[in-house]
Amino acid sequence: MTRILALETAGETCSVALLDDGNVIERFEHAPRRQTELVLPMVEGLLADAGVRLKDLDGIAFGHGPGAFTGVRVAAAVTQGLAFSADLPVVGISTLAACALSAQARQAHSHVIACFDARMGELYLGAYECEDGAASAILNDGLFNPDALPDLPSADWMIIGSGLVYQDALVAAYGASRCIIDAHPHAKAVAQLALSAFERGEGVSAEQAQPVYLRDQVIQGAVR
């Protein structure tokens, strides 16, 4: 598995990336609520610039959430459509893991807590050990109340993401040598994490490209 297209639209940004024999090219825009209109033109432009056709890909990866409901759904739907049209396998990647790896690439910090503001007085949170282009989960992604945060092993933590609106509670629970609220997940990190997932045989068919919301109320509300 050497040529992977990756999409990430779960937050306030829109990015696409192409991993080709270890090299990654990416297009990234800060685009709150514009992912629906931007993502397909960005994919088309990226592939055209690289001289790669959709059928030349080995697989497609997407940030499956958690994150903003619409953004998470956009990435899954576009991935399904592209994968169906070219009969390609897909793999979903944690958006929190992608955010952690993206931040680690900027700050060279191995222990990263990634957290997003989930609204309604809650936050999405996952903890990772990041090194060599991988993000190993220390705490699986979950939805938490900032007044009842889960336990984590003692470490030199870097805390990143919009969940730092609850910075006082997070720092009190975990300590932190660095906090970065304006950290965002990148499709480049999704592609890097997907490479290992495909190599482990975790690729699935297009119809199995499903978003991960983590909040039952959101899913139930969408069904009604």
Side-chain angles (χ1 to χ4, degrees), residues 1 4 132-134 190-202:
M1 185 66 60
I4 299 168
D132 299 327
V190 172
Q192 291 171 317
L193 294 170
L195 178 61
S196 297
F198 277 121
E199 289 174 345
R200 292 192 298 267
E202 296 174 10

Side-chain angles (χ1 to χ4, degrees), residues 5-40:
L5 175 68
L7 293 72
E8 175 53 68
T9 64
E12 294 188 342
T13 62
C14 183
S15 62
V16 299
L18 177 67
L19 186 153
D20 191 354
D21 284 331
N23 299 310
V24 183
I25 55 174
E26 181 186 56
R27 292 191 173 191
F28 179 94
E29 287 194 34
H30 189 268
R33 296 177 296 280
R34 295 182 58 219
Q35 292 93 335
T36 302
E37 66 183 87
L38 290 176
V39 64
L40 274 175

Side-chain angles (χ1 to χ4, degrees), residues 13 15 27 37 79 105 121 126-128 134 136-138 151 161 166 173 198 208:
T13 62
S15 62
R27 292 191 173 191
E37 66 183 87
T79 296
Y128 298 88
S136 302
I138 296 172
D151 292 334
Y166 302 108
F198 277 121
Q208 293 177 279

Side-chain angles (χ1 to χ4, degrees), residues 83-161:
F84 271 127
S85 68
D87 192 25
L88 292 169
V90 304
V91 68
I93 297 296
S94 161
T95 297
L96 287 168
C99 194
L101 189 60
S102 299
Q104 189 269 343
R106 292 168 50 195
Q107 298 295 334
H109 208 105
S110 61
H111 286 77
V112 184
I113 296 170
C115 55
F116 300 152
D117 183 5
R119 313 298 181 186
M120 299 170 64
E122 295 175 309
L123 72 164
Y124 302 120
L125 183 146
Y128 298 88
E129 183 173 4
C130 300
E131 59 181 354
D132 299 327
S136 302
I138 296 172
L139 174 73
N140 290 329
D141 299 352
L143 178 67
F144 301 101
N145 186 301
D147 295 325
L149 293 168
D151 292 334
L152 284 175
S154 178
D156 178 19
W157 291 107
M158 175 169 68
I159 305 177
I160 56 116

Side-chain angles (χ1 to χ4, degrees), residues 198-216:
F198 277 121
E199 289 174 345
R200 292 192 298 267
E202 296 174 10
V204 298
S205 59
E207 63 267 20
Q208 293 177 279
Q210 297 297 321
V212 173
Y213 297 112
L214 293 184
R215 176 176 276 149
D216 290 340

